[in-house]
Amino acid sequence: MKFTINRASFTQQINHVQRAIPTKTTIDILYGIKLTANSEGLTLIGSDADISILSLIAADDSMADLVIEEEGEVVLPARLLNDIIKKLPADEVSVSVNERHVATIRSAKAEFQIAGKDGNQYPRLPEIDATTEIQLPTLAFKNLINQTIFAASNQESRPILTGLHLTLEEGYINAVATDSHRLSQRQIPLELSDQQKVFQALTIPKKTMNELSRIVPDEAQLTLTVSNQQIIFHFDAITIYSRLLEGNYPATDRLIPESSETDLVVNSLDFLQAIERASLMAHEGKNNIVQLDLQNNQAELSVTGNEIGNVAEMIDYESLTGPGLKISFNPDYMKEALRSFGDCSIRLQFNSPVRPMLLSRLEVSEVPHNELIQLLTPVRTH
Amino acid sequence: MKFTINRASFTQQINHVQRAIPTKTTIDILYGIKLTANSEGLTLIGSDADISILSLIAADDSMADLVIEEEGEVVLPARLLNDIIKKLPADEVSVSVNERHVATIRSAKAEFQIAGKDGNQYPRLPEIDATTEIQLPTLAFKNLINQTIFAASNQESRPILTGLHLTLEEGYINAVATDSHRLSQRQIPLELSDQQKVFQALTIPKKTMNELSRIVPDEAQLTLTVSNQQIIFHFDAITIYSRLLEGNYPATDRLIPESSETDLVVNSLDFLQAIERASLMAHEGKNNIVQLDLQNNQAELSVTGNEIGNVAEMIDYESLTGPGLKISFNPDYMKEALRSFGDCSIRLQFNSPVRPMLLSRLEVSEVPHNELIQLLTPVRTH
């Protein structure tokens, strides 16, 4: 195996696939990046067995100055490869690999030799047998991820809750994440024909969604397909393969209240800042609870009962209707829910101190099925 | 105690004194900042018992909008105070403290109560009995710190080596730091009269020098005095008190070779980058050693004998004279030494593979006593 390449292109490609490399694994070869040089070009793969990221520099990519002199494959240690390529002295890099899988990397007068592994020993990527792929609205789909994924669980005790649950509905995608204390639900419009419906419902691991959202440029053409228990995202020269989470996702529809007794409308940013102040004291206490007290046309946030001190703040609101109510909640969950709305007027809907609060944008979108809601379970204090 | 103040001024002052606050201490009150309001203005003190930082907002400081309604003192938890003041909603902050040392902090509609401690229980700062202070050239003195302090030891087994050793000589200050593997020495010109020589030689803790270099603005008027086993730096409205390290600092003059056999002149930045590349492989090995091989008009850096791989690089040099030589060293020490020179031509002087290397600027300063040298002990490989 032997090729020369432009250093900046190579570094960029390494950075993409390195996102899949595990920090800890029992499968030693996964600490490496697999490089394959063939007539198509130079392919790099990084994987943690759950997610694999593949990046191809095509043979005819004019930016990359890629010249393949000898085809072949090898697995090289990811972190070391990245560090070396980043620090090489010249723009041109040459890589050649001998039959003992030792790679020689040259740039100007610097020459590195690093011990690699046989490319044949690297786990195979799943074959894609599906031919139908869905074109996603890239920016809207990235928003959908970022506005929901934080509510997915980090607890492996219920693995299905650690993912983002997607369903293809008539005219839209519905995404739900919940850790059973809070729930995020986002819909984005998407018209599909019957044969394009490559799945009905599936649950994708949190890490996959986070990595996807980080590496897809807003302007890229993003497609999705499902094949062999894998979900596959493709954009530019990059393909992300991910396993799906198995199991039944809980029915979350019935959790979302359809009416409310008390309604509070506030600016999301102003309210967020007040919650951030209150959380400073909540974090000093044992329970990490903030109380919201709505009555007599006043909305007061407070934290009391801590040894170190208390805080109280009257909240500016746009409207407050319905019976008075005192409700307590985890301020960190509230902060994440509020941030997902950006800067706008939001409605908080309450039914009782022990039933979930519903947060939604005050202004309803002109486009149907373009909705974001956040549900937060209160903390019972008696 | 009761005052109002501009939030930005208060935050800035808290940030300065907070640098002295320990992350871990057995003296509980040192987690706090002492606030004193009196006719002079508002004084804040943070301390870890070794270093104390005092910041005064004068009563007549027009930027701070300080109004003292009632004099007094209190100790408030530093981190919490900082977090609260940073996040307050309005520009104006009012603080009032009751007889149980509970502080009420108000800004717009937010009101915090935090439990403080009696200011009387806070350790006293040493009285300054000296009247003579030295005016330091601020920028040169900051450079002096940054170009030497990294060579001071982190090992408490020889406490005296954890400091920067300063001597006042005829027409200059001399600063030395060494951990016994390497040594940095910097001189800066300074003319003093006999009565201004407030010390002959003293050793200042590394942390003090680092904090001083971080918080003194380049354009500030910096003064130094010594009193009661303390060194005291003063600039703007800030005073830093530090204990001195006790013990005899080793005589380092005799360590610096006066002649050399082999001389190599290189650009400091180019050589640094080559060392950074070589160190990537050195870090993979057990010994963290780079070899420099000077012979036949060639200078080669290399790392060999690692399981994971090797590196070799021919170095571009400006001149190479004297007998051939192979010498091994710790690349991390070499990197820090090289960085201290910035971007310039430097001379590396060698006597033998087991004697220290001397690094100095090729161009001698026009000003006398304005010199930086770095000494590096080689690693014996046989």
Side-chain angles (χ1 to χ4, degrees), chain A residues 179-212:
Chain A
D179 61 5
S180 79
H181 303 293
R182 61 227 168 121
L183 177 146
S184 303
Q185 176 177 296
R186 174 78 159 107
Q187 300 177 344
I188 56 173
L190 186 69
E191 288 296 344
L192 296 175
S193 66
D194 277 351
Q195 58 269 44
Q196 279 183 303
K197 292 199 176 163
V198 296
F199 66 90
Q200 281 196 304
L202 45 76
T203 310
I204 309 166
K206 189 171 190 166
K207 184 181 172 187
T208 305
M209 297 319 275
N210 278 327
E211 294 304 337
L212 179 70

Short mmCIF file of all heavy atoms in Angstrom, two decimals, chain A residues 179-212:
data_model
loop_
_atom_site.label_atom_id
_atom_site.label_comp_id
_atom_site.label_asym_id
_atom_site.label_seq_id
_atom_site.Cartn_x
_atom_site.Cartn_y
_atom_site.Cartn_z
N ASP A 179 -36.09 10.28 29.88
CA ASP A 179 -35.40 9.48 30.89
C ASP A 179 -36.37 9.15 32.02
O ASP A 179 -35.95 8.75 33.09
CB ASP A 179 -34.17 10.22 31.41
CG ASP A 179 -34.52 11.54 32.08
OD1 ASP A 179 -35.72 11.84 32.23
OD2 ASP A 179 -33.60 12.27 32.47
N SER A 180 -37.66 9.34 31.77
CA SER A 180 -38.78 9.07 32.68
C SER A 180 -38.99 10.19 33.71
O SER A 180 -40.00 10.22 34.38
CB SER A 180 -38.69 7.69 33.34
OG SER A 180 -37.78 7.71 34.40
N HIS A 181 -38.02 11.15 33.81
CA HIS A 181 -38.26 12.34 34.63
C HIS A 181 -38.72 13.52 33.79
O HIS A 181 -39.39 14.41 34.24
CB HIS A 181 -36.99 12.75 35.38
CG HIS A 181 -36.45 11.67 36.24
ND1 HIS A 181 -37.11 11.22 37.35
CD2 HIS A 181 -35.33 10.92 36.14
CE1 HIS A 181 -36.41 10.25 37.91
NE2 HIS A 181 -35.33 10.05 37.19
N ARG A 182 -38.29 13.50 32.52
CA ARG A 182 -38.67 14.57 31.59
C ARG A 182 -38.73 13.96 30.20
O ARG A 182 -38.18 12.88 29.97
CB ARG A 182 -37.69 15.73 31.63
CG ARG A 182 -36.31 15.25 31.21
CD ARG A 182 -35.20 15.40 31.67
NE ARG A 182 -33.91 15.00 31.63
CZ ARG A 182 -32.90 15.80 31.37
NH1 ARG A 182 -33.08 17.03 31.01
NH2 ARG A 182 -31.67 15.35 31.45
N LEU A 183 -39.40 14.69 29.32
CA LEU A 183 -39.59 14.17 27.97
C LEU A 183 -39.51 15.33 26.99
O LEU A 183 -40.02 16.42 27.25
CB LEU A 183 -40.96 13.50 27.89
CG LEU A 183 -41.42 12.94 26.55
CD1 LEU A 183 -42.27 11.68 26.78
CD2 LEU A 183 -42.21 13.93 25.71
N SER A 184 -38.83 15.10 25.86
CA SER A 184 -38.78 16.08 24.79
C SER A 184 -39.40 15.47 23.56
O SER A 184 -39.15 14.30 23.25
CB SER A 184 -37.33 16.43 24.43
OG SER A 184 -36.64 16.90 25.56
N GLN A 185 -40.21 16.26 22.87
CA GLN A 185 -40.81 15.76 21.63
C GLN A 185 -40.76 16.84 20.56
O GLN A 185 -41.17 17.97 20.79
CB GLN A 185 -42.25 15.31 21.86
CG GLN A 185 -42.93 14.88 20.56
CD GLN A 185 -44.34 14.37 20.79
OE1 GLN A 185 -44.55 13.36 21.46
NE2 GLN A 185 -45.33 15.07 20.25
N ARG A 186 -40.22 16.46 19.41
CA ARG A 186 -40.09 17.42 18.32
C ARG A 186 -40.62 16.77 17.05
O ARG A 186 -40.33 15.60 16.78
CB ARG A 186 -38.60 17.77 18.14
CG ARG A 186 -38.28 18.66 16.95
CD ARG A 186 -38.61 20.11 17.26
NE ARG A 186 -37.88 21.02 16.38
CZ ARG A 186 -38.46 21.69 15.37
NH1 ARG A 186 -39.74 21.57 15.12
NH2 ARG A 186 -37.73 22.51 14.63
N GLN A 187 -41.40 17.53 16.31
CA GLN A 187 -41.87 17.05 15.01
C GLN A 187 -41.32 17.96 13.93
O GLN A 187 -41.24 19.17 14.13
CB GLN A 187 -43.39 17.07 14.98
CG GLN A 187 -43.98 16.17 16.06
CD GLN A 187 -45.49 16.20 16.11
OE1 GLN A 187 -46.13 17.09 15.55
NE2 GLN A 187 -46.06 15.23 16.79
N ILE A 188 -40.94 17.36 12.80
CA ILE A 188 -40.60 18.19 11.64
C ILE A 188 -41.34 17.64 10.42
O ILE A 188 -41.49 16.42 10.28
CB ILE A 188 -39.09 18.27 11.35
CG1 ILE A 188 -38.47 16.88 11.18
CG2 ILE A 188 -38.36 19.04 12.43
CD1 ILE A 188 -37.02 16.93 10.72
N PRO A 189 -41.84 18.55 9.57
CA PRO A 189 -42.61 18.11 8.41
C PRO A 189 -41.71 17.32 7.45
O PRO A 189 -40.55 17.67 7.25
CB PRO A 189 -43.04 19.43 7.73
CG PRO A 189 -42.67 20.52 8.67
CD PRO A 189 -41.65 20.01 9.60
N LEU A 190 -42.24 16.25 6.88
CA LEU A 190 -41.50 15.47 5.87
C LEU A 190 -42.51 14.65 5.08
O LEU A 190 -43.18 13.78 5.64
CB LEU A 190 -40.47 14.55 6.55
CG LEU A 190 -39.54 13.80 5.59
CD1 LEU A 190 -38.58 14.75 4.90
CD2 LEU A 190 -38.75 12.73 6.36
N GLU A 191 -42.63 14.96 3.80
CA GLU A 191 -43.56 14.22 2.95
C GLU A 191 -42.83 13.04 2.31
O GLU A 191 -41.81 13.21 1.66
CB GLU A 191 -44.11 15.14 1.85
CG GLU A 191 -45.10 16.19 2.33
CD GLU A 191 -46.40 15.59 2.91
OE1 GLU A 191 -46.67 14.39 2.67
OE2 GLU A 191 -47.11 16.33 3.62
N LEU A 192 -43.34 11.84 2.51
CA LEU A 192 -42.72 10.65 1.92
C LEU A 192 -43.76 9.83 1.19
O LEU A 192 -44.92 9.77 1.59
CB LEU A 192 -42.11 9.77 3.02
CG LEU A 192 -40.95 10.36 3.82
CD1 LEU A 192 -40.56 9.41 4.93
CD2 LEU A 192 -39.75 10.65 2.91
N SER A 193 -43.33 9.19 0.12
CA SER A 193 -44.22 8.23 -0.54
C SER A 193 -44.18 6.92 0.26
O SER A 193 -43.31 6.73 1.11
CB SER A 193 -43.76 7.99 -1.97
OG SER A 193 -42.50 7.34 -1.94
N ASP A 194 -45.13 6.01 -0.03
CA ASP A 194 -45.19 4.77 0.74
C ASP A 194 -43.91 3.95 0.66
O ASP A 194 -43.45 3.39 1.65
CB ASP A 194 -46.39 3.92 0.29
CG ASP A 194 -47.67 4.39 0.96
OD1 ASP A 194 -47.55 5.23 1.89
OD2 ASP A 194 -48.76 3.93 0.57
N GLN A 195 -43.30 3.89 -0.55
CA GLN A 195 -42.09 3.06 -0.65
C GLN A 195 -40.87 3.71 0.00
O GLN A 195 -39.87 3.06 0.26
CB GLN A 195 -41.78 2.65 -2.10
CG GLN A 195 -41.59 3.78 -3.07
CD GLN A 195 -42.92 4.15 -3.73
OE1 GLN A 195 -43.96 4.25 -3.06
NE2 GLN A 195 -42.90 4.37 -5.03
N GLN A 196 -40.97 5.03 0.30
CA GLN A 196 -39.87 5.69 0.98
C GLN A 196 -39.89 5.44 2.49
O GLN A 196 -38.92 5.75 3.17
CB GLN A 196 -39.94 7.20 0.73
CG GLN A 196 -39.37 7.61 -0.63
CD GLN A 196 -39.41 9.11 -0.78
OE1 GLN A 196 -40.47 9.71 -0.68
NE2 GLN A 196 -38.27 9.71 -1.01
N LYS A 197 -40.98 4.91 2.99
CA LYS A 197 -41.07 4.70 4.43
C LYS A 197 -40.23 3.50 4.84
O LYS A 197 -40.72 2.39 5.01
CB LYS A 197 -42.52 4.55 4.87
CG LYS A 197 -43.27 5.88 4.70
CD LYS A 197 -44.53 5.95 5.49
CE LYS A 197 -45.17 7.33 5.35
NZ LYS A 197 -46.56 7.37 5.74
N VAL A 198 -38.91 3.75 4.97
CA VAL A 198 -37.95 2.65 5.21
C VAL A 198 -38.05 2.11 6.63
O VAL A 198 -37.44 1.10 6.97
CB VAL A 198 -36.51 3.11 4.91
CG1 VAL A 198 -36.37 3.46 3.43
CG2 VAL A 198 -36.11 4.31 5.76
N PHE A 199 -38.78 2.80 7.49
CA PHE A 199 -39.06 2.25 8.82
C PHE A 199 -40.36 2.85 9.32
O PHE A 199 -40.84 3.87 8.80
CB PHE A 199 -37.92 2.55 9.80
CG PHE A 199 -37.72 4.01 10.11
CD1 PHE A 199 -38.40 4.60 11.19
CD2 PHE A 199 -36.87 4.81 9.36
CE1 PHE A 199 -38.24 5.94 11.48
CE2 PHE A 199 -36.70 6.16 9.66
CZ PHE A 199 -37.38 6.72 10.72
N GLN A 200 -40.94 2.22 10.35
CA GLN A 200 -42.10 2.81 11.00
C GLN A 200 -41.66 3.53 12.26
O GLN A 200 -41.97 4.69 12.49
CB GLN A 200 -43.10 1.71 11.37
CG GLN A 200 -43.93 1.24 10.20
CD GLN A 200 -45.12 0.45 10.68
OE1 GLN A 200 -44.95 -0.53 11.42
NE2 GLN A 200 -46.32 0.86 10.28
N ALA A 201 -40.90 2.78 13.08
CA ALA A 201 -40.42 3.34 14.34
C ALA A 201 -39.09 2.69 14.66
O ALA A 201 -38.92 1.49 14.45
CB ALA A 201 -41.42 3.05 15.46
N LEU A 202 -38.16 3.48 15.15
CA LEU A 202 -36.89 2.91 15.60
C LEU A 202 -36.25 3.83 16.62
O LEU A 202 -36.60 5.01 16.74
CB LEU A 202 -35.95 2.62 14.42
CG LEU A 202 -35.78 3.66 13.33
CD1 LEU A 202 -34.89 4.77 13.82
CD2 LEU A 202 -35.17 3.00 12.10
N THR A 203 -35.29 3.26 17.37
CA THR A 203 -34.65 4.01 18.44
C THR A 203 -33.14 3.99 18.20
O THR A 203 -32.55 2.91 18.11
CB THR A 203 -35.00 3.41 19.82
OG1 THR A 203 -36.43 3.24 19.88
CG2 THR A 203 -34.55 4.31 20.95
N ILE A 204 -32.56 5.19 18.10
CA ILE A 204 -31.15 5.34 17.71
C ILE A 204 -30.35 5.76 18.94
O ILE A 204 -30.77 6.67 19.67
CB ILE A 204 -31.01 6.42 16.62
CG1 ILE A 204 -32.00 6.14 15.48
CG2 ILE A 204 -29.59 6.49 16.10
CD1 ILE A 204 -32.18 7.31 14.53
N PRO A 205 -29.18 5.14 19.17
CA PRO A 205 -28.39 5.51 20.35
C PRO A 205 -28.05 6.99 20.38
O PRO A 205 -27.80 7.61 19.35
CB PRO A 205 -27.11 4.68 20.21
CG PRO A 205 -27.48 3.51 19.34
CD PRO A 205 -28.53 4.04 18.41
N LYS A 206 -28.06 7.55 21.59
CA LYS A 206 -27.75 8.96 21.84
C LYS A 206 -26.42 9.36 21.19
O LYS A 206 -26.32 10.41 20.55
CB LYS A 206 -27.64 9.11 23.36
CG LYS A 206 -27.53 10.49 23.90
CD LYS A 206 -27.67 10.42 25.44
CE LYS A 206 -27.82 11.83 26.01
NZ LYS A 206 -28.29 11.80 27.42
N LYS A 207 -25.39 8.53 21.34
CA LYS A 207 -24.07 8.89 20.82
C LYS A 207 -24.12 9.09 19.30
O LYS A 207 -23.52 10.03 18.77
CB LYS A 207 -23.02 7.82 21.17
CG LYS A 207 -21.61 8.21 20.74
CD LYS A 207 -20.53 7.18 21.05
CE LYS A 207 -19.20 7.61 20.37
NZ LYS A 207 -18.14 6.60 20.48
N THR A 208 -24.85 8.22 18.62
CA THR A 208 -24.96 8.35 17.16
C THR A 208 -25.56 9.70 16.78
O THR A 208 -25.06 10.40 15.90
CB THR A 208 -25.88 7.24 16.60
OG1 THR A 208 -25.38 5.98 17.03
CG2 THR A 208 -25.92 7.28 15.08
N MET A 209 -26.64 10.06 17.48
CA MET A 209 -27.31 11.32 17.14
C MET A 209 -26.41 12.51 17.45
O MET A 209 -26.35 13.47 16.68
CB MET A 209 -28.63 11.44 17.91
CG MET A 209 -29.64 10.36 17.58
SD MET A 209 -29.71 9.97 15.80
CE MET A 209 -30.84 11.21 15.21
N ASN A 210 -25.71 12.45 18.58
CA ASN A 210 -24.81 13.56 18.92
C ASN A 210 -23.69 13.71 17.90
O ASN A 210 -23.37 14.81 17.48
CB ASN A 210 -24.21 13.35 20.32
CG ASN A 210 -25.17 13.80 21.41
OD1 ASN A 210 -25.93 14.74 21.22
ND2 ASN A 210 -25.12 13.13 22.55
N GLU A 211 -23.09 12.59 17.51
CA GLU A 211 -21.99 12.67 16.55
C GLU A 211 -22.50 13.16 15.20
O GLU A 211 -21.88 13.99 14.56
CB GLU A 211 -21.30 11.30 16.39
CG GLU A 211 -20.57 10.81 17.63
CD GLU A 211 -19.53 11.79 18.15
OE1 GLU A 211 -19.04 12.64 17.38
OE2 GLU A 211 -19.23 11.73 19.36
N LEU A 212 -23.65 12.66 14.79
CA LEU A 212 -24.24 13.09 13.52
C LEU A 212 -24.43 14.61 13.54
O LEU A 212 -23.99 15.32 12.64
CB LEU A 212 -25.57 12.38 13.28
CG LEU A 212 -26.29 12.79 11.99
CD1 LEU A 212 -25.54 12.28 10.77
CD2 LEU A 212 -27.73 12.29 11.97
#
